[in-house]
């Protein structure tokens, strides 16, 4: 309900507006001892909940901007007319339930949208929190991968349990520990590398 001011509301959305990219952590493991707020584990539903909030906030920004720019366009402002047409395309994209990042935009068009600080235009990756043995043959991980592929987003599987264990080990022992789980590097390294790719660094 953040787009309607519920929970942390606008404060939550304002923090995200200031970022260059978004990393969404989604749960991809079953465990009866760890309660899920929705009462069931469904990473796609969790991602959709957040993405819907971001899209609703974007829709609000776009609709307000359209009202302003319509008046300027009617007064003969050519830049306003171009911006109106662009905003109409963005609104249609959001109406179709698609993030703005999947819309084909030129550098000039992105510049015209910059002052709106749209949330769904930001590059996004999903960090899939899996069990220690959940890197393969994990239907929940497969679900979020399929969902992410539809919006050209990357999925980085990480086991928070393994990462917590690693944090307490000496560097020399970490590699041996990772080998036990068929891993060659800590999940945090994969997240960092994915973040660099996402930001074009």
């Amino acid at each position: 309900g953040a787009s309607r001011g519920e929970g942390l509301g606008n404060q939550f959305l304002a923090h995200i507006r200031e970022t260059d990219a978004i990393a969404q952590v989604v749960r991809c493991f079953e465990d009866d001892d760890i309660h899920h707020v929705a009462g069931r584990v469904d990473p796609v539903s969790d991602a959709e909940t957040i993405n819907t909030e971001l899209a609703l906030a974007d829709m609000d920004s776009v609709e307000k901007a359209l009202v302003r720019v319509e008046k300027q366009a009617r007064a003969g402002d050519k830049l306003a007319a171009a911006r109106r047409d662009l905003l109409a395309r963005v609104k249609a994209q959001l109406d179709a339930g698609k993030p703005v990042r999947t819309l084909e935009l030129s550098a000039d068009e992105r510049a015209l949208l910059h002052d709106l600080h749209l949330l769904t235009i930001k590059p996004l990756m999903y960090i899939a929190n899996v069990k220690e043995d959940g890197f393969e043959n994990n239907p929940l991980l497969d679900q979020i991968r399929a969902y992410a592929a539809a919006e050209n987003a990357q999925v980085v599987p990480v086991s928070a349990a393994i990462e917590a264990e690693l944090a307490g080990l000496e560097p020399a022992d970490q590699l041996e520990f990772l080998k036990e789980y068929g891993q060659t590097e800590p999940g945090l390294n994969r997240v960092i590398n994915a973040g660099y790719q996402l930001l074009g660094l």
Side-chain angles (χ1 to χ4, degrees), residues 13-48:
L13 296 171
H15 287 311
I16 299 174
R17 282 191 208 289
E18 294 174 20
T19 66
D20 292 317
I22 298 172
Q24 257 195 66
V25 181
V26 289
R27 177 174 165 178
C28 293
F29 67 89
E30 300 273 3
D31 189 331
D32 293 339
D33 294 334
I34 302 172
H35 180 72
H36 188 285
V37 69
R40 74 190 194 296
V41 179
D42 184 343
V44 170
S45 174
D46 293 346
E48 284 175 341

Side-chain angles (χ1 to χ4, degrees), residues 172-187:
D173 299 327
Q174 289 181 351
L175 206 52
E176 280 303 312
F177 178 76
L178 285 168
K179 279 183 191 170
E180 291 176 28
Y181 293 102
Q183 302 296 307
T184 56
E185 65 177 344

Side-chain angles (χ1 to χ4, degrees), residues 53-172:
E53 288 297 329
L54 301 182
L56 288 170
D58 278 359
M59 183 64 87
D60 187 49
S61 298
V62 168
E63 286 173 347
K64 286 176 181 169
L66 261 171
V67 170
R68 285 191 307 269
V69 88
E70 280 280 1
K71 292 175 187 170
Q72 296 166 340
R74 280 198 300 267
D77 185 330
K78 287 184 179 174
L79 183 60
R83 186 167 171 160
R84 177 198 59 207
D85 296 345
L86 173 60
L87 287 170
R89 279 177 55 213
V90 169
K91 184 178 182 305
Q93 180 81 348
L94 291 166
D95 279 337
K98 295 176 183 171
V100 180
R101 81 180 73 80
T102 61
L103 186 62
E104 199 79 27
L105 295 169
S106 69
D108 288 345
E109 288 172 327
R110 284 183 174 274
L112 281 175
L113 294 172
H114 182 74
D115 65 326
L116 292 180
H117 302 287
L118 297 176
L119 299 164
T120 66
I121 202 170
K122 295 175 185 295
L124 171 87
M125 71 174 168
Y126 295 98
I127 300 171
N129 186 12
V130 300
K131 273 194 166 179
E132 294 94 324
D133 60 354
F135 290 92
E136 292 176 17
N137 303 318
N138 182 341
L140 295 171
L141 180 57
D142 294 340
Q143 288 170 22
I144 198 65
R145 280 182 168 145
Y147 177 78
E151 56 182 47
N152 298 323
Q154 189 173 356
V155 176
V156 184
V158 172
S159 170
I162 290 176
E163 296 303 304
E165 288 279 342
L166 277 178
L169 295 176
E170 294 295 320

